[in-house]
Amino acid sequence: MTHTPGRSGAADGGPGRGPGGRANGRGSGGAKGKANGRGGRRPGTGADVWPGHPAPLGARFLPGPKGPEGTNFALWAGGADAVELCLFDEDGHETRHWLPELTHEIFHGFVPGVRPGRRYGYRVHGRWDPAAGARWNPAKLLLDPYARAVDGSYDRLPPEVYGHRRDHPDQDLADTVRDERDSAPAVPKGVVVHDTETWADDIRPDTPWADSVIYELHVRGFTMRHPGVPPELRGTYAGLAHPAAIEHLTSLGVTAVELLPVHQFAHEDHLLRRGLRNYWGYNSIGYFAPHAAYSASGSRGQQVGEFKEMVRALHRADIEVILDVVYNHTAEGNEFGPTLSLRGIANPGYYRLAEDARRYADYTGCGNTLHVVQPQVLRLITDSLRYWVQEMGVDGFRFDLAAALARSFHDVDMLSPFLAVIAQDPVLRRVKLIAEPWDVGDGGYQVGAFPPLWTEWNDRYRATVRDYWRDALPDVRDLGYRLSGSSDLYAWGGRRPYASVNFITAHDGFTLRDLVSYEQKHNEANGEDNRDGTDDNRSWNCGAEGETQDLQIAALRRRQLRNLLTTLLLSTGVPMLVAGDEMGRTQRGNNNAYCQDNDLSWIDWTLPEDPAWRPLLELTRRLIRMRREHPVLRRRAFFSGRRRGPEGMRDLGWFTAAGREMTERDWHAPGSTLGMFLSGRDIPQRDARGRPVLDDSFLAILHAGSGPLDFPLPGPPWAERYTLLVDTSREEQAEPPGTAHAAGLPVAVPPRAVLLLRAEP
């Protein structure tokens, strides 16, 4: 094993280290002595490396005319001895240049003549001492953390892409033995990109939080089977931008798409060994680069322009773009993972290390955790976020395992550097910020704890609504909180009901159809003997496991789907739908389809034309339209529940199955029925001219019981009569005006159904 000198010596033929750790020799002088075997400068290039600038980080093309054309390269590599810039020509030949300058642990240099489209990477020199967390290995070509585009894919992870001897006979010691094989032929390269586009012609929708309806989708899976999208565009950014794809979104009425990860990501070795791939993308390796495999136009920078055109197309349709981002860990995994980027650049600087620095602190369940307390890591994340807002045009972010980002040195801290920086950043504090408010570490569950500016995935909502419709709640107390905006979680610090992102399903878990069709997970296709995925599904199969020919069970399942979607879209807060749930998409019981890049995960576009499923789609469209038209369904403030005015009306009324107002005792009594009255005469908001906002009033009756119910309709001051608008017991919903019912008389509520009635004064 070749020894690489530490900081006090020279690095494998590179420049010596002078006083203060600065590299001796300017330009290319230090590199000329390196052999042209293992990658030294190729004869005849004759290109010098000028000092350049330490900012901005990454590869920045400078076209002139104020200076010569070329690219400035800058890399933070704290603790490293030297950095080689590796440039690749069209034939894949590598030319290496020492970056000559070191400023505040940033290695930098300007290379004249390097233009957009040029591929590059880095080799970073330093000591190999895994026990101290030092894992520098110049045999490994490393991806620039600031690369704006990546050419190639991580479809294979051979032994040479590991910094240690992955195939060492003693696996307990394998990660301590440095691997000297060159990884360059096996790894993707960064691409120099020149951003010349402006957003002057783009108008952001800027949809208020309270008016938002989020639609979580996968760029690839949404269009792979769409008959209206040309085959060559399916599964790509251009495919999502196609009018046929956007038409579904606009006809549905959603205001934002939340894209599963589109940062460049890698596939895990254990999946590749089983012939599978990472489909969801929660394995990021490039925080500035759109995932190249989703590009129809190319991977030499074309993916950047294609992504921007997708954002523009969605904005023209008045749809915002929210990115699901994974800044809590990277694809390099634990100490036995590959060396692709950060590990080989500055392992102790980028990652949280355990007390035994050979190991990683893992609050994510993915092998490593980014050390967000470190200034350079915080800079990487915030630079990336601002880039996606300012240069790529996105409108917000959903942060995967956000509690891991909010940890200080150990505990989750809502005054952590990450949250503090976001709160004061003039760009980031204005976009939509959604936290997945937990991680897998001690104290990681933080639902309701994130500060103002943030909304949260409310899994308390998910659990409660699932339990209610399978008739598994002991009483209706928790349901009342979830329907009315979860004030028990969010009514503090100036937060509003839209701090709660209400959802029943997400990419992780059963689809909505599977939630009413399976009680057990069926993940055999994942190759892990059905051990992966949660066992806490809170599902009910309605009497048979999986698909069935029983017409009664099938009808009950469709009714349950209508109940779940109606509950979601009538609840105060921000509703989130998952692509395909509105038309009965199934994953055949797989509740962890992260590795299923096939028709198990892709949207089935025959469903909208299926007579069994089209009514569900039409109901979803209608409910979203009602939500858009009625401000009482998307309140900007919590309900008070107090009586107001001479009539003694409340802005929110709760009723028992007997049609009388709920008492404290009723909230604690067993029950499967709840009436909710939403008053449109007492909405605490004003329009743009300062006038009070008035709306219709509505009564929703939610009945999860297995038998029918006669529900007496509340009389004055609530209403004189009611008009039935929605009855989820029916496959087809009649358009208004619906059936009229006199107040004080009972309305027949079928088993397991939601009735929505408009109150008439």
Side-chain angles (χ1 to χ4, degrees):
M1 180 175 69
T2 302
H3 174 67
T4 299
R7 292 182 62 87
S8 60
D12 284 356
R17 307 290 285 187
R22 182 168 180 161
N24 293 325
R26 309 280 293 195
S28 60
K32 287 183 178 177
K34 189 163 180 69
N36 288 321
R38 209 179 126 200
R41 171 168 294 145
R42 294 179 64 234
T45 59
D48 289 337
V49 180
W50 301 356
H53 303 281
L57 292 171
R60 184 60 60 91
F61 174 65
L62 303 175
K66 294 183 179 180
E69 185 177 82
T71 300
N72 190 81
F73 295 89
L75 176 73
W76 183 90
D81 290 332
V83 172
E84 287 179 286
L85 168 67
C86 306
L87 299 175
F88 295 84
D89 64 18
E90 292 299 320
D91 297 323
H93 295 134
E94 176 182 353
T95 303
R96 302 187 191 181
H97 307 274
W98 297 103
L99 290 182
E101 293 293 322
L102 179 61
T103 305
H104 305 310
E105 298 192 301
I106 297 172
F107 292 83
H108 56 92
F110 176 83
V111 185
V114 172
R115 295 182 49 78
R118 190 71 175 271
R119 296 178 300 157
Y120 73 102
Y122 294 110
R123 297 181 188 272
V124 181
H125 296 255
R127 65 194 179 100
W128 177 264
D129 186 2
R135 293 180 178 272
W136 284 285
N137 185 345
K140 308 306 165 185
L141 185 77
L142 305 174
L143 184 67
D144 180 2
Y146 280 73
R148 295 189 178 192
V150 176
D151 181 51
S153 63
Y154 296 92
D155 289 336
R156 48 188 294 268
L157 294 174
E160 55 265 32
V161 306
Y162 291 76
H164 64 278
R165 286 298 299 266
R166 172 186 157 185
D167 48 5
H168 192 275
D170 187 345
Q171 285 295 295
D172 290 337
L173 298 176
D175 73 292
T176 67
V177 181
R178 194 166 82 165
D179 186 286
E180 302 296 338
R181 289 170 285 192
D182 184 9
S183 69
V187 295
K189 282 75 177 175
V191 181
V192 176
V193 173
H194 181 40
D195 186 5
T196 58
E197 299 180 71
T198 66
W199 289 90
D201 62 334
D202 181 69
I203 300 176
R204 294 177 182 265
D206 288 329
T207 306
W209 259 125
D211 299 342
S212 297
V213 178
I214 297 174
Y215 190 73
E216 187 193 47
L217 66 81
H218 190 287
V219 168
R220 178 170 167 83
F222 189 71
T223 59
M224 279 298 293
R225 303 174 67 184
H226 198 303
V229 175
E232 66 274 13
L233 300 183
R234 294 175 187 170
T236 69
Y237 306 120
L240 181 55
H242 192 273
I246 291 180
E247 190 279 332
H248 181 77
L249 302 174
T250 54
S251 68
L252 194 57
V254 298
T255 68
V257 291
E258 182 175 303
L259 306 182
L260 267 68
V262 296
H263 289 164
Q264 184 71 40
F265 63 85
H267 304 290
E268 294 93 328
D269 180 68
H270 70 92
L271 292 178
L272 296 174
R273 288 170 179 262
R274 297 201 300 270
L276 299 171
R277 297 159 57 89
N278 187 313
Y279 172 65
W280 287 347
Y282 291 91
N283 208 36
S284 299
I285 196 63
Y287 290 131
F288 289 76
H291 189 60
Y294 299 159
S295 172
S297 53
S299 60
R300 295 290 184 92
Q302 297 94 332
Q303 63 265 55
V304 178
E306 186 176 327
F307 184 93
K308 291 180 179 181
E309 285 304 316
M310 177 197 72
V311 173
R312 282 192 174 94
L314 289 164
H315 283 179
R316 286 193 293 269
D318 212 26
I319 296 171
E320 294 184 309
V321 178
I322 299 171
L323 302 188
D324 196 333
V325 289
V326 189
Y327 294 112
N328 56 77
H329 75 280
T330 77
E332 293 185 300
N334 63 16
E335 60 271 19
F336 296 103
T339 295
L340 306 174
S341 183
L342 304 183
R343 191 198 310 278
I345 294 171
N347 187 58
Y350 280 111
Y351 292 116
R352 290 179 179 265
L353 302 182
E355 186 174 347
D356 172 7
R358 177 183 162 192
R359 314 293 183 190
Y360 293 81
D362 184 8
Y363 296 111
T364 66
C366 299
N368 64 56
T369 307
L370 281 181
H371 202 351
V372 181
V373 174
Q374 297 280 13
Q376 66 278 358
V377 180
L378 192 57
R379 178 181 179 182
L380 171 68
I381 294 172
T382 53
D383 282 353
S384 169
L385 291 169
R386 282 189 293 268
Y387 172 77
W388 286 95
V389 173
Q390 294 176 301
E391 299 196 36
M392 302 296 273
V394 306
D395 305 286
F397 305 94
R398 178 265 188 190
F399 292 82
D400 180 66
L401 299 182
L405 299 173
R407 289 184 180 270
S408 290
F409 284 95
H410 297 290
D411 297 333
V412 178
D413 179 6
M414 292 305 160
L415 297 176
S416 67
F418 172 74
L419 295 179
V421 166
I422 296 291
Q424 60 79 44
D425 189 285
V427 173
L428 301 180
R429 70 188 181 201
R430 296 181 180 181
V431 302
K432 288 183 164 64
L433 303 171
I434 306 171
E436 184 183 39
W438 52 78
D439 64 20
V440 302
D442 291 340
Y445 186 75
Q446 295 289 323
V447 172
F450 273 72
L453 289 185
W454 288 80
T455 65
E456 301 175 14
W457 270 25
N458 185 354
D459 73 325
R460 289 275 300 275
Y461 182 95
R462 173 177 59 182
T464 298
V465 173
R466 287 186 179 195
D467 281 347
Y468 177 74
W469 285 112
R470 65 190 183 108
D471 204 13
L473 285 181
D475 51 52
V476 294
R477 280 179 295 165
D478 212 37
L479 180 65
Y481 276 119
R482 304 310 143 231
L483 292 172
S484 58
S486 295
S487 60
D488 58 330
L489 299 175
Y490 301 112
W492 64 272
R495 303 186 82 183
R496 299 296 185 94
Y498 47 76
S500 176
V501 173
N502 299 330
F503 68 108
I504 299 170
T505 58
H507 63 275
D508 188 1
F510 281 149
T511 68
L512 202 66
R513 176 175 169 182
D514 289 354
L515 190 67
V516 300
S517 304
Y518 296 89
E519 292 185 6
Q520 307 296 325
K521 64 186 180 184
H522 296 270
N523 298 355
E524 291 81 6
N526 296 354
E528 299 179 45
D529 298 323
N530 207 35
R531 295 189 303 269
D532 63 301
T534 183
D535 293 312
D536 183 20
N537 295 296
R538 299 172 186 254
S539 58
W540 177 47
N541 63 20
C542 298
E545 186 72 359
E547 296 301 311
T548 179
Q549 299 299 314
D550 188 306
L551 297 181
Q552 287 187 326
I553 291 177
L556 175 57
R557 288 175 176 175
R558 293 194 297 272
R559 178 184 297 195
Q560 288 288 82
L561 292 181
R562 295 192 292 273
N563 290 335
L564 291 163
L565 281 171
T566 302
T567 302
L568 176 65
L569 291 167
L570 293 181
S571 298
T572 299
V574 179
M576 185 185 80
L577 300 167
V578 178
D581 276 354
E582 73 277 14
M583 49 190 175
R585 184 176 77 91
T586 178
Q587 291 177 172
R588 301 192 286 276
N590 192 317
N591 74 353
N592 190 36
Y594 77 105
C595 56
Q596 298 298 324
D597 188 3
N598 50 51
D599 61 1
L600 187 73
S601 295
W602 302 340
I603 302 296
D604 180 0
W605 289 100
T606 67
L607 292 171
E609 306 307 321
D610 188 331
W613 298 110
R614 186 165 186 82
L616 183 67
L617 175 59
E618 294 300 334
L619 175 63
T620 307
R621 288 170 172 164
R622 183 177 170 197
L623 289 167
I624 292 175
R625 184 171 66 251
M626 289 180 61
R627 187 179 183 91
R628 181 174 64 248
E629 293 171 350
H630 293 285
V632 73
L633 299 178
R634 42 186 174 82
R635 287 174 55 105
R636 288 162 164 75
F638 287 106
F639 297 94
S640 72
R642 296 189 297 270
R643 295 190 184 276
R644 296 178 182 271
E647 295 179 332
M649 279 282 293
R650 303 179 193 270
D651 58 359
L652 175 65
W654 299 106
F655 296 88
T656 69
R660 56 178 173 78
E661 285 196 72
M662 297 278 288
T663 65
E664 186 65 25
R665 177 177 296 179
D666 293 326
W667 285 112
H668 292 266
S672 56
T673 306
L674 184 62
M676 177 177 68
F677 189 96
L678 304 172
S679 173
R681 289 178 281 174
D682 191 19
I683 301 175
Q685 75 186 65
R686 297 179 180 272
D687 64 17
R689 297 186 177 184
R691 297 169 298 193
V693 172
L694 299 175
D695 193 14
D696 294 333
S697 298
F698 296 93
L699 175 67
I701 304 169
L702 294 86
H703 177 52
S706 59
L709 170 72
D710 286 333
F711 186 98
L713 295 172
W718 304 100
E720 296 286 348
R721 60 188 183 280
Y722 295 85
T723 301
L724 181 64
L725 304 180
V726 174
D727 177 356
T728 61
S729 70
R730 302 174 181 173
E731 292 276 3
E732 303 282 351
Q733 301 295 313
E735 287 292 329
T739 306
H741 296 268
L745 298 178
V747 61
V749 183
R752 297 191 177 92
V754 179
L755 267 57
L756 179 66
L757 305 100
R758 183 176 60 238
E760 309 291 351

